[in-house]
Amino acid sequence: MGYLLLSGAIAAEVAATTAMKYSEGFSRLWPSLVTAVGYVVSFALLARTLKTVQIGTAYAIWSGVGTATIAVLGLLLFGEGLSLTKVAGIVLIIGGVVVLNLGGATH
């Protein structure tokens, strides 16, 4: 159940961050509201996740997957460039999450 809540937290965080881009510096009402609600939902779900998942593991997954997903959405939705450095950064983020998960498998 913890990882299902974590997935929801990640989805809410990604939606909030994407909406923030569309809010144009919080000058547009609806994207600004989606941003605020999305972050509240994300943190609430992350807090619930921490009841069953270790904090280091949960936070690494939440931040790493969220960051990598936003980087990909930047490419797809906003036409951001893809460089070797950006690809390497995304690979390192994913690798770091995997390593932390392997190390956090024991209680």
Side-chain angles (χ1 to χ4, degrees), residues 30-65:
W30 292 110
S32 299
L33 289 176
V34 170
T35 299
V37 170
Y39 279 121
V40 168
V41 169
S42 180
F43 282 118
L45 291 174
L46 182 60
R48 297 260 335 260
T49 298
L50 296 179
K51 291 181 176 182
T52 58
V53 179
Q54 294 178 352
I55 189 169
T57 301
Y59 190 75
I61 294 170
W62 180 79
S63 61
V65 172

Side-chain angles (χ1 to χ4, degrees), residues 54-86:
Q54 294 178 352
I55 189 169
T57 301
Y59 190 75
I61 294 170
W62 180 79
S63 61
V65 172
T67 300
T69 302
I70 287 298
V72 170
L73 288 176
L75 296 168
L76 298 175
L77 298 177
F78 306 112
E80 295 178 0
L82 182 64
S83 65
L84 184 58
T85 305
K86 188 176 272 189

